[in-house]
Amino acid sequence: ERLHLWPTLHRVVRPAARAGWEVDYLLALNFEPSHLMGVEPWSQPWLQAVPNPRTSNMSAEALREMIVRAAASAGASRVRLTFFEDTPVPRAIQRRLLGRSGPLHPAVLNALRRFYQTEALWNATVAEAHEEGAGYDRVLQTRDDIFWVRDFDLAKFPDPLLGVDRDVVYSTDVGGLCAPAHLRRRSSTDRAFLTSGWAADRLLRLHSSYYRRRDPRLDAARDLEEYLEVVALMHGLRWETKEPEV
């Protein structure tokens, strides 16, 4: 219901493919109708968000065909889709609520669901890549409801073959694109971040980190952004925020 496919394909995949990158497009989608999920799909009710009418009524088969065709048209070399239709409602850890008021808060449950689905997609992708003896120089994770207002230019980052930023995670800061500077916070975000394949293999296991890591810093995380930064630090990664460009 939240899927907005074309901004990412047109503004990220297509420019990268034209610049000579071999681009894999990996997508994890929760295909369960929101009224059956057991949790509100949007944790910020003041946004008054509504499902995307272009995709919300499509069958899984029709949506899969449309995504594959659109990704190939944008220049993707390979497409991996994973549909989740019966993901159980996650159980939050009482001491690890990401700054929210309780274990049933939609922001907590939606984050845990997202962690699970992202990690499952990444694990399947990495397993296949290892069998082929391949890997990723760059990994860009973005959410399915993100709008890109201009082309994303990988040339503005160091050449991954140099290895100078293998341990760096790049993102913009938290806050709306047009928000005044005093309302924006220099912090990580899961809306979109870029890193190396080596770092992604550590950072994208957020679900396992949540349930298996016994670290008081994770318990003390005051919000999702701080949780991301703690996980990055646990793996020796550095988070670097960039000013958004318009």
Side-chain angles (χ1 to χ4, degrees):
E1 295 182 354
R2 297 176 61 148
L3 176 63
H4 289 271
L5 178 70
W6 291 270
T8 298
L9 292 179
H10 292 171
R11 296 296 192 179
V12 178
V13 174
R14 179 172 292 163
R18 287 177 173 173
W21 290 82
E22 183 177 342
V23 182
D24 288 357
Y25 183 66
L26 317 173
L27 185 62
L29 281 180
N30 182 44
F31 206 72
E32 188 174 6
S34 59
H35 66 282
L36 298 177
M37 286 171 53
V39 59
E40 292 295 325
W42 288 277
S43 57
Q44 303 291 342
W46 60 269
L47 290 173
Q48 298 183 338
V50 297
N52 180 5
R54 192 171 182 181
T55 57
S56 60
N57 293 319
M58 297 181 71
S59 68
E61 293 75 16
L63 185 60
R64 186 184 302 274
E65 181 178 355
M66 183 194 71
I67 291 172
V68 170
R69 288 180 179 273
S73 178
S77 302
R78 181 183 320 201
V79 181
R80 176 185 287 277
L81 303 179
T82 303
F83 285 176
F84 296 88
E85 299 187 63
D86 55 356
T87 305
V89 176
R91 292 180 178 271
I93 300 174
Q94 185 63 45
R95 69 178 185 277
R96 197 168 286 181
L97 299 179
L98 309 179
R100 300 298 181 169
S101 57
L104 299 181
H105 194 286
V108 178
L109 298 182
N110 285 334
L112 294 177
R113 188 189 297 269
R114 201 161 56 246
F115 293 168
Y116 171 80
Q117 295 173 349
T118 300
E119 185 169 336
L121 174 65
W122 178 252
N123 287 343
T125 301
V126 169
E128 183 177 301
H130 285 173
E131 289 181 359
E132 299 174 354
Y136 289 97
D137 297 311
R138 288 292 189 199
V139 175
L140 173 70
Q141 175 178 294
T142 184
R143 283 163 48 172
D144 53 9
D145 56 352
I146 293 297
F147 280 85
W148 299 81
V149 297
R150 64 179 298 173
D151 289 354
F152 184 73
D153 187 3
L154 283 167
K156 294 184 177 180
F157 299 88
D159 186 335
L161 296 180
L162 299 177
V164 297
D165 63 346
R166 187 177 79 151
D167 61 345
V168 178
V169 184
Y170 300 101
S171 75
T172 59
D173 53 16
V174 176
L177 182 62
C178 299
H182 69 280
L183 294 180
R184 301 213 338 240
R185 179 160 58 97
R186 301 292 290 180
S187 176
S188 63
T189 177
D190 71 336
R191 294 172 183 168
F193 58 78
L194 175 77
T195 190
S196 67
W198 178 86
D201 201 34
R202 289 148 179 79
L203 183 60
L204 292 182
R205 305 186 193 279
L206 294 168
H207 185 267
S208 295
S209 296
Y210 182 88
Y211 287 104
R212 298 177 183 175
R213 287 273 185 165
R214 297 182 180 274
D215 192 312
R217 293 175 296 175
L218 294 175
D219 301 338
R222 295 167 294 181
D223 50 33
L224 172 61
E225 291 75 30
E226 190 168 322
Y227 173 80
L228 293 174
E229 292 177 355
V230 169
V231 173
L233 285 172
M234 286 167 41
H235 292 291
L237 308 179
R238 296 182 291 118
W239 207 291
E240 185 175 319
T241 56
K242 298 283 191 180
E243 288 293 329
E245 297 181 356
V246 294

